[in-house]
Amino acid sequence: MLKVQRFVCNMFAENTYLVWDDTRECVIIDCGAFYPEERTAIENFIRREELKPVHLLCTHGHIDHVMGNGFISKTYGLNPEVHANDEYLMRDIAGQARSMVGMDYTEYVPRVGKYLHSTDKISFGNHTLELIHTPGHTPGGIVIWCKEEKIAFTGDTLFNMSVGRTDFPGGSWEQLMDSLKRLARELPPETTLLSGHGNQTTMDYELQWNLYMKA
């Protein structure tokens, strides 16, 4: 059985997730931990639960979802894994921060450990995570899906009653709409959705009440 712990991080209230099973192997998804207290909280939780981080995954390459990558790399020796289409974002985190949010970003930025493709699968413990490529918010946006447990980490593609914005460079409203249709086809209604911001929801709820899913 998968266990999930959420940490709300940085000035953008971004959701960072720790995901593990009975083996104690752990996947870190979208580490946005920027402030010292956020990083301490994550490190203390991993130590207290005796977890072993084995993957650092990014649903996409925007600055608010990667602010903790340097911390994770230095602490646990993991480098981020992100879809290949977001390479341009990962190559210029500081420039992205300046242009998108006017922020002077001077944190250590680790190299990308692996550029992912939609056919890749991520194994840890007794579980396997599948990837669904969902361009629109960024060209390399992905949803990370545990089919067995019916849990999906949707990043900034799909939120509770909302969707990701498409006005940043590389965004596309048409692609986002196509990605939402793909999620509606591939994710069962009972799937729990854990997004990059805000509270969890289910695919069934979003299909019923999220107007963007009816577009």
Side-chain angles (χ1 to χ4, degrees):
M1 180 177 178
L2 278 187
K3 299 179 181 178
V4 179
Q5 178 67 34
R6 179 181 71 154
F7 297 85
V8 180
C9 294
N10 65 52
M11 62 289 293
F12 303 101
E14 179 269 350
N15 290 333
T16 294
Y17 296 100
L18 301 183
V19 187
W20 72 100
D21 63 17
D22 292 341
T23 70
R24 318 310 286 181
E25 286 195 344
C26 170
V27 169
I28 302 169
I29 298 177
D30 284 351
C31 190
F34 179 69
Y35 298 113
E37 57 269 27
E38 296 167 350
R39 299 178 179 187
T40 298
I42 291 172
E43 193 170 5
N44 286 345
F45 187 89
I46 289 173
R47 183 184 301 112
R48 183 170 65 250
E49 296 296 323
E50 299 181 340
L51 303 181
K52 179 184 178 183
V54 293
H55 288 285
L56 172 58
L57 305 179
C58 305
T59 60
H60 63 292
H62 276 161
I63 180 68
D64 53 328
H65 291 255
V66 302
M67 286 179 160
N69 283 355
F71 150 65
I72 296 298
S73 180
K74 289 180 178 180
T75 307
Y76 303 106
L78 299 177
N79 284 9
E81 301 171 46
V82 62
H83 193 278
N85 289 4
D86 273 5
E87 179 179 3
Y88 76 105
L89 290 171
M90 301 300 286
R91 285 187 176 276
D92 189 19
I93 298 296
Q96 181 193 152
R98 285 193 301 272
S99 63
M100 290 175 60
V101 294
M103 180 182 183
D104 186 16
Y105 190 77
T106 59
E107 293 287 313
Y108 165 65
V109 176
R111 65 174 180 82
V112 172
K114 181 180 180 180
Y115 284 107
L116 301 168
H117 299 85
S118 57
T119 55
D120 290 337
K121 294 185 178 181
I122 309 296
S123 295
F124 73 105
N126 296 320
H127 287 82
T128 298
L129 302 174
E130 299 182 27
L131 309 181
I132 302 175
H133 184 207
T134 55
H137 181 64
T138 70
I142 56 173
V143 166
I144 300 169
W145 179 33
C146 183
K147 185 175 183 179
E148 176 187 358
E149 303 273 358
K150 294 183 173 62
I151 295 175
F153 299 87
T154 60
D156 285 6
T157 295
L158 177 59
F159 303 119
N160 180 203
M161 297 294 287
S162 189
V163 295
R165 55 192 293 181
T166 59
D167 56 329
F168 289 128
S172 166
W173 182 253
E174 291 77 16
Q175 286 187 333
L176 184 64
M177 291 300 101
D178 286 342
S179 293
L180 295 178
K181 291 175 183 176
R182 182 179 182 190
L183 292 180
R185 291 193 306 268
E186 297 195 19
L187 296 181
E190 63 270 26
T191 303
T192 296
L193 307 180
L194 300 170
S195 61
H197 304 268
N199 296 323
Q200 74 177 51
T201 182
T202 66
M203 179 54 73
D204 181 60
Y205 186 89
E206 297 310 311
L207 289 171
Q208 289 189 61
W209 303 107
N210 189 333
L211 295 180
Y212 296 103
M213 299 299 292
K214 303 177 186 298

